[in-house]
Amino acid sequence: MPRLQRTMTERGIDFLPGSVEWADPDPTATANALTLIDDLHQLPIAILNRSFDLFMERFRAMHGESPVAWTNYTPYEIRIIGALIRLGRRDDAHELARFFLNERRPPVWNQWPEIAWRNPRAPGHQGDLPHAWISAEYCLVFRDFFVYERDSDQSLVIGAGILSAWLDAGDIIINALPTAYGLIDLQFQRQANGSVTAQIGGSFRSPPGGIQLALPA
């Protein structure tokens, strides 16, 4: 972090740079620090949130009702969803998830290309297609909605990506979801008084840091 902080000071930026050499905004690289490396506890929360605020502002400017000019983007931005879940930004995470599910190209292939062009018929390079890396990123963040490992305290965080609307629609039941501690079964049920009952089972061992529930209030 000291080198990153020095880069921010010297370059006059208020976001976490993707590299000390370029001092560039690279939210997909920053997302790795939260998901694959689990360095959330070592990074300044305010700067992390600012970094992803900038991404969301650009994302909404590109894909909103009055989009700004843009040419293409890469769907491996899907991995940002996992970072947003860990930052407690549930609604932002689902905003991205809904967008990317509608952006599978070609639709009948049910997958994403490496590069998505604003004009789907543009004669531009689409990279690898199908792109298994991007599909794997989607599988990882989809699991994060229900459970993810937090190495900083060796715990399992459950329900950080579940929406209130899902609970209102009916019981949520997941069986044999893989974790680093084994397969976990989850069941969530909205009660008549508005509270939520969580049932946790399966063939997993209890993590040293325990289980942390992060269901919507």
Side-chain angles (χ1 to χ4, degrees):
M1 184 59 201
R3 294 186 68 190
L4 292 175
Q5 187 66 61
R6 179 178 175 182
T7 300
M8 294 173 60
T9 300
E10 291 180 348
R11 300 294 187 92
I13 57 177
D14 62 352
F15 56 84
L16 203 65
S19 69
V20 296
E21 295 84 6
W22 292 98
D24 55 333
D26 191 344
T28 55
T30 301
N32 276 336
L34 276 63
T35 56
L36 299 182
I37 304 174
D38 195 14
D39 264 353
L40 176 59
H41 59 293
Q42 299 192 57
L43 297 169
I45 294 297
I47 294 174
L48 278 173
N49 274 311
R50 175 59 177 161
S51 301
F52 290 108
D53 284 343
L54 292 172
F55 169 79
M56 293 302 299
E57 289 171 9
R58 176 62 180 168
F59 169 82
R60 289 166 180 151
M62 289 172 59
H63 307 294
E65 294 182 0
S66 302
V68 298
W70 63 276
T71 304
N72 57 31
Y73 72 92
T74 178
Y76 65 66
E77 292 172 356
I78 283 174
R79 77 162 64 118
I80 293 172
I81 296 171
L84 293 173
I85 291 172
R86 285 162 175 78
L87 286 169
R89 301 174 61 154
R90 195 185 316 258
D91 291 339
D92 287 345
H94 279 277
E95 182 179 346
L96 293 187
R98 286 189 293 269
F99 169 80
F100 285 116
L101 282 173
N102 289 326
E103 280 283 295
R104 287 167 287 179
R105 303 181 185 183
V108 293
W109 284 25
N110 200 34
Q111 58 84 65
W112 296 270
E114 184 176 5
I115 301 171
W117 295 78
R118 184 172 186 178
N119 176 8
R121 299 185 64 84
H125 174 60
Q126 297 194 57
D128 297 335
L129 192 155
H131 198 287
W133 163 21
I134 293 173
S135 299
E137 296 281 6
Y138 176 76
C139 291
L140 289 172
V141 301
F142 185 79
R143 193 202 64 142
D144 287 346
F145 283 136
F146 305 100
V147 61
Y148 67 85
E149 297 84 0
R150 188 165 61 198
D151 291 342
S152 60
D153 59 1
Q154 294 184 291
S155 67
L156 279 176
V157 181
I158 292 176
I162 290 177
L163 295 174
S164 288
W166 292 2
L167 294 165
D168 294 339
D171 294 1
I172 300 172
I173 301 173
I174 306 110
N175 293 316
L177 195 63
T179 77
Y181 301 98
L183 303 178
I184 193 169
D185 300 333
L186 301 171
Q187 182 171 349
F188 307 103
Q189 185 179 52
R190 175 83 76 188
Q191 303 300 310
N193 64 1
S195 64
V196 177
T197 299
Q199 297 183 48
I200 302 168
S203 57
F204 73 100
R205 66 185 187 279
S206 181
I211 290 174
Q212 310 296 325
L213 286 176
L215 293 165

